[in-house]
Amino acid sequence: ADTMKIGISQNNVGVDSYQTTYEKAFISAADANADVETVVLDAGGDVARQIAQIEDLIQQEVDAIIIWPTNGEAVIPAVRKASKAGIPVIVTNSNIAEQGFDFVKSFSGPDNITQGARSAEIMCDKFKDMGIADKAKIVQISGQPGYTTAIERAQGFEERLPEVCPNVTLVETQPGDWNREKSQKVMEAFLVKYDDIDGVYAGDDNMGVGALNAAKASGRDGIIFVGATNFSVGYEAMERGEYWGSIYQSPVDDAEAALQTAVDVLAGKEVPFLNYFDTPKITQDNMSNYSKPVF
Amino acid sequence: MSELTQEKIGLKSRRREQPVGRFSNLKLGEILARQGILIAFALFLIGFTIANDRFLAPDNIMGVVRSSAILGVMALGVTFVVLSGNLDLSVGSMMSFSTIVVLDLHDKIGPVLAIPAMFAMTMCLGALIGFLVGYLRLNSLIVTLGMLSAIHGLTLTYSGGKNMDIADKEGTWFSVFGQSDLVGIPVPILIFALLASTLGILLAKTPYGRKVYAVGGNGLAATFSGINRSRVVFTCYVLSSFCVATAGLLQASRSLGSQNTVGQGLELEVLAAVILGGASLMGGSGTIFKTVIGVLILGFIQNGLLLVGLQFYAQYIVTWIIIILAVWLDIAAKRGKLWSPIA
Amino acid sequence: MSTQKPALRLEGILKTFPGVRALDNVSFSVIPGEVHALMGENGAGKSTLMKVLGGLYQPDDGQIIIDEQPVVMTSPLQAKSKGIVFIHQELSLAEELTVAENIYLGELPHKSFGRVDWKKLHAQTDSILQRLKVGFNAKTRVGELSIANQQMVEIARALTVEAKAVIFDEPTASLTDAEKVVLFDVITDLKSHGVGIIYISHRMEEIFKITDRISVLRDGQYRGTLNTAETTDDEITQLMIGRKLDLSRNASHHEVGDVALEVRELSCGALFKNIDFEVRRGEVVGFYGLVGAGRTEIAETLFGLREPTAGQIYLDGAEVTIHSPADAIAKGISLVPEDRKGQGLVLGMNCRDNMTLPQVEGLKFGPFVAETDEVAIFDKYKERLDIRTPGWKQTVGNLSGGNQQKIVIAKWLSMHPSILIVDEPTRGIDVGSKSEIHNLIRELASQGYAVIVISSEMPEVLHVSDRIIAMYSGEIMRTFTSDEVTEDNLIQAISGITSNRAA
Amino acid sequence: MEPGTLSTFLKRGAIWGFIVFELIFFSLAGEFLSFSDKAFMDLDNMLLLFKQSAPIGIIAVGMTIIMINGNIDLSVGATYALSAIVLLDSMTWPMFAGMGNAVIPIAWGLALLTGVVLGALNGLIVWKTGVDAFIVTLGAMLGYRGLVFMYNGEQPTSHLNWTLVDFAEAQFLGLHTATWFLVAVTAAVWFLMNKTVHGRNAYAIGDNRAAATNAGIRVGPHMLINFMIIGFLASLSAVAFYSESGSVNPNDGELYELWVITAVVLGGTKLTGGAGSVLSTLGGVLAIQLLRKGLGHIGADTETVNLAIGIILIAVLLLDRQLNIKGKEELRV
Ligand SMILES: Nc1ncnc2c1ncn2[C@@H]1O[C@H](COP(=O)(O)OP(=O)(O)OP(=O)(O)O)[C@@H](O)[C@H]1O
Ligand SMILES: Nc1ncnc2c1ncn2[C@@H]1O[C@H](COP(=O)(O)OP(=O)(O)OP(=O)(O)O)[C@@H](O)[C@H]1O
Ligand SMILES: [Mg+2]
Ligand SMILES: [Mg+2]
């Protein structure tokens, strides 16, 4: 068959190991497929750069474009341009807004809202086991302000928590910017401010471990840490019994799913429009079922 | 050099009456007024204490200083660079590099070798910048911005983009730098204090420090005074990279694992601390002591606002106001007038 | 004259800076059409008084009266609108802009939409430049001009507006004789148009040549006003410094020693070529020439700041290559540079640190700077050169121009060089200190130093030198001994008229 | 100064030389490394280059004025984001309901006004307090960003108006709308800086502030106006860009200040003020954009892009230095 030329514009590769691992996985998946050639671009978190990249890919006449949107709405006109040029567009990892659905073939990625909800359930179940579900107080450390993933995870968590554990109070939320160090600082302040913290929900394990480090340093025991996107640091902390649970999400699955969707679209196969891959709960209880994340 | 001494030339003194009262000594009040930044610092310490009674708790203070130590150590080095009339925007990215490198080498060659190896690698980067800015006289803003990007690329290549973690976190003594206490004081604070006093003395009391001020104040005049301006600038960058390596060590030891972006964005925070301390971006003025104050102000602002529990965006806005007020108060005290004389 | 109504009056002006009372109850007035000299030692308060008049400083007390109306002068803009033009002691130019833009800075002629009227600007500028007989044009970038020519640009500003009074603050400090003649013509011309002129200078001959009255300040206080026609050098000096001055040359007849510095066939591109001379221990060699003659460049080459394209330098008979100023200093050479603000001083640094900068590496107590030794050096030279400052902590930028220059000289004297090069050493220095510096130069020579004095002031060169080298356009025209030199043959030599080059 | 003398052109030529080098390099490298059949120096691609340079370019032109004037503005990225929010949000305000597309010019006006006000605030603080512009705008970078987040929390602010999108995507005489904005702004600012009294005074202030004050130029108002101009241009850039994209993240425009300053300095404007040219700034912007585009064209990965951009920035400086060396007669300092 003719080689398929697939271009991808990622959100912000350097920023965390999830995205870097994604990029690596994407490239190796493409290398493994003799029919696929790829152009891998990184928008560096900048919408303007991402739009320029889509324009460039259109100009280079690629066969399909995969996009990891920096902003689910701002890219719509650019996506429309691609679609007008007859190039199928696949959205990966976090979806674009509904207005743009007409111009894309498929979305493939995790469901951030469900992830947030699942984290709430993990937290709640643990509190119930401990018998403190009626009075527990928790704090949240969210991802970088403005990022869809950060927003949706917080939203999923905040909506689900009162449904499952109506008496648990979320006393304060502060952003940790996906950054372990920043998260540690935020947690230090929380510890000074609140004598009574039973649980911490962090938008990803990096921040969760930052918070854990702060708690360890100040000698506060018995806090339940729940994260999202299980990183290897989080997995190790769970092994040590310091960190309760997280959401298992593999960037490799994410990348491979996106590429496969694109290949399928080009091959003329029917693909579901919303192509979520599963991101299960992982806790100290069931972690033996999962291999340690590579990132 | 001539054998002649000054005495042989025979400096005959030309006695004149010094008009009485024409030159009075500077008054204590005036000296105090020059320390506007300290007053600003005191003012908002009081403000936060009123807003939250835990703000001045010893634990909290210790905590703030400890977590400011990393930023602080970097700011010490950047003070030298700024004093010499240059900028360093690469420190954040370089700090990520050293953290990742030392963590990686820790498991590969052991901490005893990893630490000097990491220092050597980081200081090579510093030397490269120093060469470009000092000897080739390239614009420091662009060079260090370029290095910010290039070192980030280097770190990503080195780590393959992955988080770097020490395998055996419980069993290594490597955590002493970041996590343990000595005589009841956290080690990072001790390292920061030690480095601050050493570099403070280096800057204020040694010929080298004097040269740094001269080069930043007027590079041409420094050259005409026989100072090797290129070398001074070069060493400032090497020194800065030494501080960055120390910060990377503290960071790595504190969390025993790190992201590739651990230092991202710190360059502007560091610069803000240095400038807040009153160093001039034009070079030639500023002190280590003031930089330390600047670091503490930034650290306490962040912590205080978190304790008060403002939304993060309100923190941004308050930080804006505090930064400008602090510097304004500082210069207003120096010039003795609130409003600027700009026509 | 004094019966006429003054164009402007300053009354009871008081001005203090932290630690300094710069002006203490000073009164002063200018009559239309007179040239009124303001004299005083370095740091006496002349510039400060003029800055008060020019709206740059607000006085702590006292008032300014123009046309019998008291005015509160709050800005240079206002001063300008009152017809006061201020030609500053320190060059006040934007180097990246053209001559025309600088001359009309702040009042560029414009058309609709704020567009600059370039035609008008250049036409007006050209006519002014013609009056000043200068060799550059309206479109030249000021940064490309020599210091002297930049000074002429400053002076040109006096001719742009309908001035009531023009302040010249040491306009001749960096001018050569030819330009001075032009300046004096300009002043005479302004005077004939009824403009009152305030003229600050340390050069007596100028004062007697062009001024009508002389007011003297001492230590920030008004000391009196004299009619130029009825007074003498001595009387003025007496008022200025409170004693008489011995201006005779220190007739130190000492033995001239071995050759300390020898230069053979030294060239540096187009800047200078085939320079041959030697300086012996105990000898003062003067370099005299027009601006651009290449004297400064020779000095810079000897100090390791330029790489010669050909030729040799010998120190005490041994050939040397001088790589850098640090190298030059190590070999015993000192250079007092021409441009004190740009090359001589770190303006934001205190007086002491500036003074000891080149030797700070040698003044050590363990690893630290020996601050007490530094203060001792400072005190010694403060005394010797009579530097006026509240103390070593004062920022050099806050000193008066002349006192700044003294700091630069002290900086290099305190190095005990075996070869001392001074480039325009007394620029902006008052008569008292100037003769003191001249004496010092002579004394240094008598102690066995080899000294090179570069100066554009003929009396200075004649006064201090044992031999005088006349330069023209990068080449040595002739070498005179102090016996054979006369003003006439010196002027001939530097204008390139004589070509019998010295061996 | 009547600009464009040969010597200054040569000195500023480094950046244009570099652009030519980039074009040749990427065209050749593209032949071997890229699978694209399209040539790099394709006309459409070059037109895109201009369009894509517009967001940074328009701000960079403003930054040139500020830096010539001897100041710096680090808050442009935040101003850009806040103006974008006003632009998009105001179109949905109830008070403008039922106006149809007539709301577009109003929204533009409000967005531009936002920029001017934010710029004026910076300018006033710099003028009245005498605090260095670096600190004032570093603070404002945080403060204005705080306002951005305050407006709509962490949510993006969106309003897709297809009329507006079509207008923004349109091409007139081959050039995209955003390109026209860039061209117009460059021309206007070139005129301002080279032909008007305000521009020449701005040069003088940046060159030697004391001299300007002595000459009676009112430094404060000039700085104020220039800050208003850069605020205006930051919001104009937002208008040009967000008219097309229709949605703004609260962290949009972050790091723009650094890229803008880089472009300006690459173009040869002095950080200390007094010298610089708008046209060369345009060269700096194009050089950076071309670099990103070219690296994408040849398929460099993230690490390589970061490394290459860093190294090339430094290489341009080296080239510039090499061109400006005066030869042996230069003072060794
Ligand atoms: N901005 C300032 N801050 C502090 N002191 C100052 C300042 N400006 C001037 N002085 C001091 O005021 C005194 C008068 O200085 P001024 O410049 O008026 O002297 P001057 O008579 O012009 O001397 P010169 O002949 O050397 O130019 C000096 O002692 C000087 O140090
Ligand atoms: N032809 C010229 N036109 C304009 N500037 C010149 C010219 N020649 C030299 N200059 C500049 O004038 C300044 C003084 O010239 P130079 O140092 O060569 O002469 P000099 O003999 O030391 O004169 P002086 O010491 O009186 O200024 C230098 O900055 C030099 O670059
Ligand atoms: Mg004076
Ligand atoms: Mg000279």
Side-chain angles (χ1 to χ4, degrees):
Chain A
D2 253 3
T3 52
M4 293 175 262
K5 299 162 186 171
I6 299 175
I8 178 170
S9 169
Q10 295 186 90
N11 183 343
N12 194 354
V13 173
V15 82
D16 62 38
S17 54
Y18 185 89
Q19 299 203 39
T20 356
T21 314
Y22 180 108
E23 184 183 46
K24 295 258 179 315
F26 188 89
I27 293 172
S28 59
D31 286 348
N33 188 337
D35 296 335
V36 171
E37 277 187 284
T38 56
V39 196
V40 180
L41 302 172
D42 169 26
D46 180 357
V47 189
R49 210 182 292 167
Q50 183 156 55
I51 291 175
Q53 288 173 347
I54 298 173
E55 287 166 348
D56 287 351
L57 290 172
I58 299 172
Q59 197 270 337
Q60 291 182 25
E61 295 173 348
V62 294
D63 296 317
I65 294 174
I66 302 175
I67 146 168
W68 181 335
T70 45
N71 173 324
E73 282 167 278
V75 294
I76 293 176
V79 168
R80 181 178 74 152
K81 253 189 241 171
S83 134
K84 274 185 185 164
I87 301 173
V89 177
I90 289 89
V91 181
T92 181
N93 189 280
S94 52
N95 210 344
I96 65 171
E98 255 182 76
Q99 273 180 297
F101 283 3
D102 288 348
F103 313 120
V104 303
K105 287 285 182 244
S106 173
F107 164 76
S108 115
D111 183 345
N112 288 315
I113 300 204
T114 306
Q115 290 186 337
R118 285 183 177 172
S119 295
E121 290 162 11
I122 297 175
M123 179 81 82
C124 181
D125 291 344
K126 182 65 181 170
F127 285 158
K128 282 180 182 155
D129 283 352
M130 296 164 71
I132 54 171
D134 282 341
K135 56 178 168 96
K137 290 199 172 77
I138 63 168
V139 291
Q140 175 178 220
I141 298 174
S142 52
Q144 180 133 353
Y147 277 80
T148 318
T149 317
I151 299 166
E152 290 185 349
R153 281 188 187 158
Q155 184 192 341
F157 184 84
E158 287 165 18
E159 282 170 3
R160 184 64 179 155
L161 188 68
E163 292 169 13
V164 286
C165 269
N167 294 326
V168 171
T169 29
L170 172 61
V171 289
E172 192 170 343
T173 300
Q174 290 285 351
D177 298 355
W178 306 131
N179 183 313
R180 209 188 285 183
E181 190 51 29
K182 171 87 192 287
S183 165
Q184 189 164 347
K185 271 191 193 170
V186 170
M187 187 66 191
E188 278 163 2
F190 281 160
L191 290 168
V192 171
K193 195 168 164 191
Y194 304 111
D195 290 326
D196 187 16
I197 296 176
D198 300 298
V200 177
Y201 169 57
D204 75 9
D205 273 6
N206 251 333
M207 296 190 295
V209 168
L212 171 65
N213 286 344
K216 281 205 295 193
S218 70
R220 291 268 280 267
D221 296 329
I223 300 178
I224 302 303
F225 292 89
V226 175
T229 307
N230 193 224
F231 284 66
S232 57
V233 266
Y235 191 90
E236 286 164 8
M238 284 161 70
E239 281 179 332
R240 292 194 303 271
E242 295 168 348
Y243 196 79
W244 176 246
S246 183
I247 301 293
Y248 197 78
Q249 176 187 336
S250 158
V252 180
D253 293 351
D254 202 357
E256 286 173 355
L259 184 65
Q260 193 54 49
T261 311
V263 170
D264 288 349
V265 166
L266 286 179
K269 288 188 199 160
E270 260 322 295
V271 289
F273 185 72
L274 289 178
N275 202 356
Y276 292 123
F277 66 87
D278 189 34
T279 51
K281 299 175 188 172
I282 173 172
T283 64
Q284 286 178 22
D285 290 340
N286 72 349
M287 64 185 297
S288 52
N289 302 337
Y290 299 93
S291 60
K292 182 169 143 184
V294 293
F295 57 101
Chain B
M1 198 58 140
S2 159
E3 299 278 296
L4 295 168
T5 67
Q6 209 62 46
E7 278 62 43
K8 280 195 204 146
I9 303 170
L11 282 181
K12 58 171 191 216
S13 65
R14 187 159 62 117
R15 270 282 141 236
R16 316 171 26 102
E17 295 157 60
Q18 269 298 357
V20 190
R22 191 157 124 77
F23 301 127
S24 60
N25 284 324
L26 293 178
K27 290 189 197 71
L28 184 67
E30 276 172 11
I31 292 170
L32 273 183
R34 278 158 199 256
Q35 302 298 337
I37 199 74
L38 278 180
I39 297 171
F41 188 34
L43 278 183
F44 85 87
L45 281 188
I46 295 170
F48 279 130
T49 312
I50 294 168
N52 187 317
D53 55 355
R54 294 188 178 198
F55 183 66
L56 277 191
D59 270 5
N60 190 46
I61 290 179
M62 206 67 111
V64 174
V65 180
R66 191 188 53 196
S67 57
S68 301
I70 292 174
L71 182 85
V73 166
M74 287 160 71
L76 298 178
V78 171
T79 305
F80 277 78
V81 172
V82 169
L83 280 179
S84 76
N86 294 296
L87 284 174
D88 195 346
L89 294 178
S90 69
V91 288
S93 167
M94 201 189 280
M95 195 271 246
S96 305
F97 174 81
S98 22
T99 310
I100 292 290
V101 166
V102 77
L103 288 169
D104 177 60
L105 294 181
H106 178 278
D107 285 5
K108 289 192 177 136
I109 59 176
V112 179
L113 290 176
I115 296 171
M118 176 274 276
F119 268 80
M121 286 165 80
T122 310
M123 287 168 74
C124 278
L125 292 175
L128 175 62
I129 300 176
F131 175 74
L132 292 170
V133 178
Y135 286 93
L136 298 187
R137 301 283 161 81
L138 303 186
N139 179 301
S140 67
L141 178 91
I142 305 282
V143 167
T144 57
L145 195 65
M147 290 302 280
L148 181 156
S149 176
I151 296 175
H152 183 51
L154 206 61
T155 312
L156 287 179
T157 312
Y158 186 95
S159 68
K162 300 206 172 83
N163 283 355
M164 201 59 84
D165 277 276
I166 289 178
D168 178 13
K169 291 205 166 75
E170 303 297 314
T172 179
W173 58 266
F174 183 70
S175 59
V176 291
F177 305 108
Q179 298 181 15
S180 55
D181 287 2
L182 199 71
V183 293
I185 302 172
V187 172
I189 298 187
L190 291 177
I191 292 180
F192 178 38
L194 184 74
L195 210 54
S197 37
T198 315
L199 293 184
I201 290 171
L202 179 67
L203 193 55
K205 297 286 167 197
T206 66
Y208 174 70
R210 194 66 69 71
K211 290 180 187 174
V212 172
Y213 280 110
V215 166
N218 182 351
L220 196 54
T223 306
F224 269 83
S225 302
I227 292 172
N228 188 334
R229 177 173 159 195
S230 307
R231 187 155 66 205
V232 170
V233 172
F234 173 81
T235 50
C236 283
Y237 277 102
V238 173
L239 210 105
S240 175
S241 65
F242 173 82
C243 291
V244 169
T246 310
L249 176 67
L250 293 179
Q251 177 62 48
S253 165
R254 183 179 183 191
S255 46
L256 300 180
S258 168
Q259 292 159 276
N260 285 290
T261 51
V262 58
Q264 203 168 53
L266 281 187
E267 51 281 341
L268 283 185
E269 266 188 71
V270 166
L271 200 58
V274 173
I275 302 291
L276 197 55
S280 155
L281 271 187
M282 293 293 150
S285 85
T287 65
I288 288 289
F289 175 70
K290 286 181 167 181
T291 293
V292 172
I293 299 289
V295 168
L296 292 180
I297 289 184
L298 269 194
F300 278 103
I301 290 179
Q302 279 181 4
N303 171 268
L305 292 176
L306 275 174
L307 285 187
V308 174
L310 289 182
Q311 290 283 347
F312 70 92
Y313 53 77
Q315 293 175 26
Y316 285 178
I317 296 169
V318 175
T319 310
W320 169 37
I321 295 168
I322 290 182
I323 285 182
I324 290 175
L325 281 184
V327 177
W328 185 11
L329 201 64
D330 192 38
I331 59 176
K334 267 181 211 143
R335 70 174 169 234
K337 266 200 226 115
L338 189 57
W339 301 106
S340 92
I342 300 175
Chain C
M1 261 199 128
S2 45
T3 52
Q4 237 177 305
K5 272 194 185 152
L8 58 87
R9 257 179 23 233
L10 292 154
E11 271 180 8
I13 302 290
L14 185 76
K15 177 72 193 169
T16 55
F17 296 108
V20 184
R21 174 167 292 183
L23 295 174
D24 189 359
N25 191 19
V26 175
S27 300
F28 177 80
S29 66
V30 190
I31 297 163
E34 78 161 338
V35 180
H36 194 147
L38 189 55
M39 295 195 73
E41 290 174 291
N42 294 132
K46 305 178 295 294
S47 296
T48 306
L49 186 67
M50 291 303 106
K51 284 178 184 169
V52 166
L53 177 58
L56 285 156
Y57 290 156
Q58 307 309 307
D60 301 333
D61 197 8
Q63 56 181 345
I64 301 169
I65 297 158
I66 298 177
D67 292 336
E68 303 300 313
Q69 295 292 317
V71 258
V72 182
M73 203 69 92
T74 53
S75 69
L77 191 61
Q78 197 195 352
K80 228 177 185 178
S81 72
K82 296 276 176 206
I84 296 171
V85 178
F86 194 165
I87 311 302
H88 289 267
Q89 178 175 16
E90 309 293 344
L91 287 171
S92 172
L93 299 167
E95 298 199 342
E96 295 287 335
L97 300 190
T98 61
V99 168
E101 286 174 303
N102 268 288
I103 292 178
Y104 283 91
L105 201 61
E107 49 201 354
L108 294 174
H110 56 87
K111 305 183 281 192
S112 54
F113 303 112
R115 283 175 303 154
V116 178
D117 190 341
W118 294 107
K119 259 204 197 116
K120 192 169 163 197
L121 175 66
H122 289 146
Q124 287 179 349
T125 308
D126 281 335
S127 78
I128 291 179
L129 294 180
Q130 255 163 29
R131 265 171 86 185
L132 293 177
K133 304 184 185 76
V134 289
F136 50 87
N137 68 42
K139 295 180 190 175
T140 316
R141 208 175 59 88
V142 163
E144 288 163 15
L145 297 179
S146 64
I147 303 251
N149 280 337
Q150 292 185 6
Q151 186 68 52
M152 292 308 278
V153 174
E154 282 267 14
I155 290 167
R157 288 176 170 165
L159 303 175
T160 59
V161 283
E162 282 298 314
K164 178 173 269 87
V166 180
I167 304 163
F168 289 97
D169 194 352
E170 295 194 44
T172 54
S174 46
L175 293 188
T176 49
D177 294 331
E179 288 139 343
K180 273 182 222 166
V181 172
V182 177
L183 171 67
F184 296 157
D185 286 349
V186 168
I187 290 176
T188 319
D189 189 32
L190 287 171
K191 188 173 154 171
S192 69
H193 285 84
V195 179
I197 290 164
I198 303 170
Y199 190 87
I200 301 178
S201 174
H202 294 294
R203 294 178 176 163
M204 286 295 182
E205 74 277 8
E206 292 172 8
I207 299 293
F208 282 101
K209 193 159 166 188
I210 62 163
T211 69
D212 302 309
R213 289 197 298 164
I214 302 166
S215 286
V216 176
L217 292 183
R218 185 159 119 215
D219 292 337
Q221 285 166 343
Y222 173 71
R223 284 291 146 146
T225 302
L226 308 164
N227 282 328
T228 311
E230 299 156 11
T231 186
T232 61
D233 274 18
D234 282 351
E235 194 181 1
I236 300 169
T237 319
Q238 183 89 37
L239 263 188
M240 272 168 61
I241 62 179
R243 66 188 164 84
K244 272 192 158 181
L245 200 64
D246 177 16
L247 280 176
S248 66
R249 173 160 166 174
N250 236 0
S252 53
H253 271 292
H254 52 270
E255 284 303 302
V256 171
D258 298 334
V259 174
L261 169 73
E262 187 179 343
V263 171
R264 287 291 160 241
E265 298 291 320
L266 197 68
S267 302
C268 182
L271 297 172
F272 56 84
K273 32 194 178 304
N274 300 327
I275 301 299
D276 274 312
F277 70 93
E278 73 276 312
V279 188
R280 293 171 178 274
R281 294 191 183 287
E283 192 181 34
V284 180
V285 174
F287 273 72
Y288 188 66
L290 295 174
V291 173
R295 298 162 301 167
T296 298
E297 284 81 355
I298 294 175
E300 285 166 349
T301 308
L302 293 175
F303 198 56
L305 283 157
R306 289 179 192 277
E307 202 179 335
T309 45
Q312 300 88 37
I313 301 168
Y314 302 88
L315 290 178
D316 294 323
E319 184 172 353
V320 292
T321 315
I322 301 166
H323 302 282
S324 65
D327 194 21
I329 292 169
K331 292 186 162 85
I333 304 176
S334 280
L335 170 67
V336 173
E338 182 175 38
D339 173 8
R340 69 167 167 260
K341 268 187 154 179
Q343 305 166 336
L345 296 168
V346 183
L347 288 178
M349 227 180 201
N350 68 42
C351 296
R352 181 198 71 183
D353 293 1
N354 262 293
M355 203 185 275
T356 55
L357 197 55
Q359 53 179 319
V360 69
E361 199 64 72
L363 286 172
K364 279 198 294 200
F365 176 76
F368 305 122
V369 182
E371 296 197 18
T372 37
D373 293 358
E374 285 190 287
V375 175
I377 291 176
F378 173 82
D379 287 342
K380 193 179 275 175
Y381 285 90
K382 177 179 188 268
E383 178 99 337
R384 175 73 211 240
L385 298 179
D386 191 28
I387 300 172
R388 303 293 178 85
T389 157
W392 62 262
K393 287 183 180 147
Q394 179 69 297
T395 309
V396 158
N398 286 344
L399 296 192
S400 77
N403 282 308
Q404 290 179 1
Q405 180 68 21
K406 292 180 186 174
I407 299 268
V408 185
I409 292 181
K411 168 170 154 181
W412 291 107
L413 282 187
S414 64
M415 294 293 294
H416 319 303
S418 55
I419 296 166
L420 176 67
I421 308 170
V422 291
D423 197 351
E424 310 288 359
T426 57
R427 187 173 276 176
I429 286 198
D430 66 48
V431 274
S433 304
K434 193 174 198 167
S435 77
E436 186 61 24
I437 287 172
H438 290 164
N439 288 343
L440 198 61
I441 289 174
R442 295 298 315 161
E443 257 175 50
L444 290 171
S446 72
Q447 299 294 330
Y449 286 68
V451 184
I452 296 176
V453 176
I454 300 173
S455 176
S456 304
E457 266 188 76
M458 194 181 291
E460 178 161 279
V461 199
L462 291 173
H463 186 65
V464 299
S465 313
D466 295 313
R467 280 188 300 136
I468 296 172
I469 294 177
M471 282 192 67
Y472 172 73
S473 176
E475 289 184 69
I476 293 180
M477 302 312 289
R478 201 179 148 182
T479 304
F480 300 91
T481 64
S482 57
D483 306 328
E484 64 188 5
V485 68
T486 65
E487 294 201 9
D488 283 346
N489 58 21
L490 197 50
I491 285 174
Q492 275 182 8
I494 63 155
S495 346
I497 294 168
T498 14
S499 53
N500 50 331
R501 293 179 49 189
Chain D
M1 177 180 62
E2 308 252 65
T5 59
L6 185 64
S7 69
T8 53
F9 183 77
L10 276 181
K11 277 182 198 161
R12 289 175 192 157
I15 196 67
W16 300 106
F18 183 67
I19 289 177
V20 171
F21 169 79
E22 279 182 310
L23 286 172
I24 296 171
F25 176 82
F26 288 124
S27 297
L28 291 180
E31 289 295 309
F32 301 105
L33 293 171
S34 153
F35 64 77
S36 171
D37 306 327
K38 284 288 208 91
F40 185 65
M41 267 171 70
D42 176 85
L43 175 67
D44 284 340
N45 204 23
M46 292 303 109
L47 291 178
L48 267 182
L49 170 73
F50 281 106
K51 182 204 164 196
Q52 294 163 353
S53 302
I56 295 275
I58 293 173
I59 307 179
V61 166
M63 190 68 84
T64 312
I65 308 179
I66 290 284
M67 285 172 60
I68 285 172
N69 199 198
N71 290 317
I72 201 161
D73 189 348
L74 298 175
S75 69
V76 285
T79 305
Y80 169 84
L82 196 59
S83 310
I85 287 185
V86 171
L87 170 77
L88 298 177
D89 205 49
S90 62
M91 287 193 272
T92 66
W93 289 348
M95 64 174 123
F96 303 138
M99 288 183 64
N101 284 329
V103 75
I104 293 177
I106 297 180
W108 281 19
L110 287 173
L112 295 174
L113 186 66
T114 309
V116 172
V117 169
L118 295 181
L121 183 56
N122 278 335
L124 264 183
I125 296 176
V126 171
W127 175 8
K128 289 298 172 190
T129 65
V131 176
D132 192 85
F134 188 92
I135 296 169
V136 171
T137 58
L138 182 75
M141 175 172 103
L142 285 176
Y144 293 176
R145 187 63 66 182
L147 295 177
V148 169
F149 277 106
M150 198 162 96
Y151 203 91
N152 206 2
E154 298 179 40
Q155 304 295 336
T157 303
S158 313
H159 180 74
L160 259 186
N161 177 326
W162 289 108
T163 316
L164 200 50
V165 175
D166 288 337
F167 167 77
E169 280 182 353
Q171 277 168 277
F172 177 65
L173 300 179
L175 301 186
H176 296 84
T177 308
T179 311
W180 281 111
F181 273 80
L182 179 59
V183 169
V185 162
T186 311
V189 170
W190 180 85
F191 178 82
L192 177 77
M193 294 312 282
N194 291 298
K195 297 290 173 200
T196 71
V197 175
H198 174 83
R200 302 320 293 168
N201 284 352
Y203 271 97
I205 292 168
D207 190 335
N208 186 341
R209 195 192 286 188
T213 312
N214 288 346
I217 295 177
R218 297 202 58 204
V219 172
H222 278 87
M223 296 197 307
L224 177 62
I225 289 173
N226 290 337
F227 271 105
M228 286 164 74
I229 293 176
I230 195 173
F232 175 84
L233 291 179
S235 52
L236 188 68
S237 168
V239 164
F241 180 73
Y242 289 98
S243 292
E244 180 172 357
S245 74
S247 174
V248 50
N249 270 352
N251 36 19
D252 278 2
E254 262 173 16
L255 291 185
Y256 270 32
E257 49 283 341
L258 288 185
W259 287 113
V260 162
I261 293 168
T262 307
V264 175
V265 176
L266 277 185
T269 297
K270 279 204 286 183
L271 274 170
T272 44
S277 127
V278 175
L279 293 179
S280 307
T281 293
L282 200 60
V285 174
L286 290 177
I288 291 175
Q289 196 59 38
L290 203 52
L291 188 58
R292 289 196 184 288
K293 213 176 169 66
L295 289 170
H297 185 76
I298 62 173
D301 61 7
T302 310
E303 286 117 270
T304 320
V305 170
N306 273 306
L307 262 173
I309 287 185
I311 291 169
I312 286 168
L313 283 184
I314 296 168
V316 178
L317 288 190
L318 272 172
L319 179 72
D320 186 51
R321 175 173 179 275
Q322 231 44 46
L323 283 180
N324 279 303
I325 279 184
K326 292 186 194 98
K328 285 213 144 180
E329 292 185 5
E330 207 178 1
L331 208 58
R332 283 196 292 210
V333 290

